[in-house]
Amino acid sequence: MPLNKYSRTITQDPTLPASQAMLYGIGLTEHDLTKAQVGIVSTGFDGNTCNMHLNKLAQEVKTAVWDNELVGLVFNTIGVSDGISNGTEGMRYSLVSREIIADSIEAVCNAHYYDGLIAVVGCDKNMPGSLIAMGRLNRPSIMVYGGTIAGGNWKGKELNIVSAFEALGEKLANKLSDEDYKGIIQHACPGAGACGGMYTANTMASAIEVLGMALPYSSSNPALSQEKSKECHEAGKAIFNLLKLDLKPRDIMTRKAFENAITVVMALGGSTNAVLHLIAMAKAVGVSITQEDFQTLSDKTPVLGDLKPSGKYLMGDVHRVGGVPSVMRYLLEKGFLHGDCITVTGKTVEENVAHAHKLNFHEQDVIRPVEQPIKSTGHIQILYGNLAEKGSVAKISGKEGNVFQGKARVFNGEFELIDGIQNGKVKEGDVVVIRYVGPKGAPGMPEMLKPTSAIMGTGLGKHVALITDGRFSGGTHGFVVGHITPEAFDGGILALVEDGDEIEIDATKHEINLRVDDAALAKRKADWKQPALRVKSGVLLKYAKQVKTAADGCVTDEA
């Protein structure tokens, strides 16, 4: 089989002289037109630490592709900085950007008949967006993760992006001086790379490596490292091999591969956003993954990574003790992974990790042994009840307990909550409700990192719960429940909650319920009117009209 399975349509068809002329115009030779063409998409842009170095990495990938007798052609797609947009109206565009990334990659690769794809990506939605596109295209593909940022430091205190958000809560509670507040913000992000904890970027990079769609060590190689540069060069060899083997995403992204990815998300204490993204990625390759699959694997997978936001360590520490392949080797030895899944190396998971560094539990405590886990079962719990008839996603680290019962303190949006914290409206024992921030209600399902960080910073983190039809940053910790479905905008019971109502959350029973009698709820339902959409034009309007529920992965390409 020739390597240029798709691009030969425009390079060898005599009825397409204009296409050939344009390829000559960009500098290709007649010999080049006999080669396979690989699209190299970068989400690089100057305005975000996660993405600021990606265009340089994309050029390294391009050199490697050409060195392997292929044509490498770089193009760009968008990115949205979650760190910059969190806590603002701009955060409504974050999850939306995943669909724009997927759509734009699909459009460019299909329009230009690229034979293969390498995505060089950094921030949270970049990774699942690129994988959704790869699944739709189903051509040999590899994801190269831009890598994690180094930790910051202020007056001897180690910092990361969440330190800046939690500093706001400390300042609101008059626990932090102006000097230290400014010092933390100015030193939290010392350079290029994605947020350093087991937040969404590192969670998804790890999951995708385990899934088999990135080269070994991709998720744990630091952004500014020789290892990351070497990975870019190895990607050129790997894409040539994938083209030669005609090994495609749907061959790799199987049901068993997704089970592997979910298992490692649980073992590392990863972000709740993985639920949305892995469901959506699975849909792109015709694999059915549901919230219940997460619960099933959570029930039998211990949390082993002592990683931020709930733990002590950063992704750089995972790199130091052997990287994700070392974690995979250990989990495989303990029977938690399917070792026979094929990957972008052309080898199986078992073959990839056979020579990974063996974790030494006497010399490191970044990753715990299964006999001494952080938590004996997974931290991601799927809850149902009258507040979430179609499910919700809780992040229960074990430090905040498994049951919470309290009186509702209701806010229509996160900005109302910040005012409520400043005004002392939120008290110990409350269940904070943030609603109308779901996929349609916001629209865009923004993260609630600013509210949860402010609650933590004020010292209320151990004494209140927070529930929402929005979602959470991977940096969120505390007793939190998100992705509540149906969302308030669609008339879910969340829309009917009133201040003072009793709410009970029980992670052991997987339940979340509003303790109000049916007659009272029926009257409230009869009086409720769906609010008008908050937007009248543009991409957010398109999103609100097309998006499926959080339980369905918030996809926008299903009829």
Side-chain angles (χ1 to χ4, degrees), residues 440-469:
K440 296 178 184 177
M445 202 182 183
E447 293 178 347
M448 298 294 109
L449 179 57
K450 186 175 180 180
T452 57
S453 297
I455 286 170
M456 281 290 175
T458 55
L460 288 168
K462 295 180 180 180
H463 307 291
V464 302
L466 188 151
I467 69 172
T468 181
D469 51 6

Side-chain angles (χ1 to χ4, degrees), residues 103-380:
D103 293 350
S104 60
I105 294 173
E106 177 194 351
V108 171
C109 289
N110 270 337
H112 299 120
Y113 290 90
Y114 292 150
D115 298 286
L117 172 66
I118 300 176
V120 185
V121 290
C123 200
D124 296 14
K125 310 311 169 296
N126 299 183
M127 275 81 75
S130 69
L131 264 289
I132 290 168
M134 290 174 187
R136 294 176 187 171
L137 292 164
N138 200 35
R139 298 174 194 178
S141 304
I142 299 172
M143 190 195 84
V144 174
Y145 177 45
T148 188
I149 195 172
N153 191 284
W154 173 248
K155 292 184 177 181
K157 179 182 178 182
E158 293 184 355
L159 304 174
N160 62 86
I161 185 63
V162 176
S163 306
F165 283 97
E166 293 186 355
L168 172 63
E170 293 181 66
K171 193 169 188 305
L172 291 175
N174 296 314
K175 297 179 179 180
L176 198 65
S177 69
D178 289 343
E179 178 197 3
D180 287 337
Y181 179 63
K182 185 179 289 187
I184 289 169
I185 292 169
Q186 291 179 344
H187 294 83
C189 298
C195 300
M198 191 46 62
Y199 310 144
T200 304
N202 283 326
T203 297
M204 293 314 301
S206 300
I208 289 164
E209 179 180 329
V210 177
L211 188 67
M213 289 300 295
L215 294 174
Y217 302 97
S218 178
S219 61
S220 45
N221 284 336
L224 303 179
S225 67
Q226 290 183 338
E227 293 94 333
K228 184 56 65 178
S229 182
K230 181 182 178 183
E231 179 191 335
C232 290
H233 290 278
E234 290 297 321
K237 297 178 186 177
I239 197 69
F240 180 90
N241 188 47
L242 288 175
L243 287 161
K244 183 178 177 181
L245 297 172
D246 196 29
L247 186 58
K248 300 183 288 293
R250 294 188 182 208
D251 302 318
I252 296 170
M253 297 166 68
T254 63
R255 167 80 188 195
K256 285 164 57 174
F258 276 101
E259 289 178 356
N260 282 349
I262 295 169
T263 296
V264 172
V265 168
M266 297 300 173
L268 294 177
S271 167
T272 52
N273 283 313
V275 180
L276 285 176
H277 297 325
L278 287 169
I279 289 173
M281 288 159 52
K283 285 176 181 284
V285 292
V287 172
S288 176
I289 296 292
T290 68
Q291 291 177 332
E292 282 308 301
D293 292 314
F294 282 84
Q295 187 62 62
T296 298
L297 290 165
S298 181
D299 288 343
K300 60 184 180 182
T301 306
V303 179
L304 305 179
D306 192 7
L307 301 169
K308 290 183 182 295
S310 297
K312 295 186 293 187
Y313 294 108
L314 298 172
M315 194 61 160
D317 297 300
V318 176
H319 173 70
R320 174 174 54 82
V321 302
V324 169
S326 290
V327 178
M328 293 173 67
R329 176 179 176 175
Y330 180 68
L331 290 171
L332 184 62
E333 289 171 352
K334 291 294 184 178
F336 288 97
L337 298 182
H338 305 289
D340 58 344
C341 294
I342 198 72
T343 73
V344 290
T345 65
K347 299 177 181 179
T348 64
V349 166
E350 186 172 11
E351 289 171 322
N352 282 348
V353 305
H355 301 293
H357 176 74
K358 196 164 186 175
L359 292 172
N360 187 324
F361 298 110
H362 299 293
E363 296 179 354
Q364 63 82 34
D365 62 350
V366 179
I367 307 296
R368 300 275 191 89
V370 294
E371 296 80 10
Q372 297 175 301
I374 304 291
K375 188 173 183 283
S376 59
T377 57
H379 61 298
I380 293 177

Side-chain angles (χ1 to χ4, degrees), residues 371-443:
E371 296 80 10
Q372 297 175 301
I374 304 291
K375 188 173 183 283
S376 59
T377 57
H379 61 298
I380 293 177
Q381 299 291 315
I382 308 302
L383 312 183
Y384 294 90
N386 66 356
L387 268 172
E389 293 176 356
K390 295 186 178 179
S392 61
V393 180
K395 188 175 187 179
I396 309 293
S397 72
K399 296 180 179 180
E400 59 285 290
N402 291 301
V403 178
F404 197 103
Q405 187 166 352
K407 295 189 180 299
R409 194 67 57 210
V410 182
F411 302 93
N412 292 328
E414 64 178 300
F415 307 113
E416 282 191 12
L417 171 60
I418 297 300
D419 291 340
I421 291 173
Q422 288 178 304
N423 298 332
K425 186 177 179 181
V426 178
K427 309 289 187 184
E428 288 189 14
D430 284 347
V431 177
V432 175
V433 176
I434 306 179
R435 64 189 180 191
Y436 294 111
V437 289
K440 296 178 184 177

Side-chain angles (χ1 to χ4, degrees), residues 505-552:
I505 308 164
D506 190 331
T508 60
K509 295 180 179 178
H510 304 111
E511 291 183 358
I512 178 169
N513 287 296
L514 178 66
R515 298 302 183 190
V516 173
D517 67 69
D518 291 342
L521 283 179
K523 183 178 186 308
R524 293 182 193 180
K525 183 69 173 177
D527 293 338
W528 179 82
K529 293 181 181 178
Q530 185 180 55
L533 272 173
R534 293 182 58 209
V535 291
K536 298 187 182 300
S537 63
V539 69
L540 292 181
L541 178 63
K542 293 180 189 177
Y543 189 83
K545 287 182 175 295
Q546 296 172 346
V547 69
K548 298 297 182 182
T549 70
D552 296 310

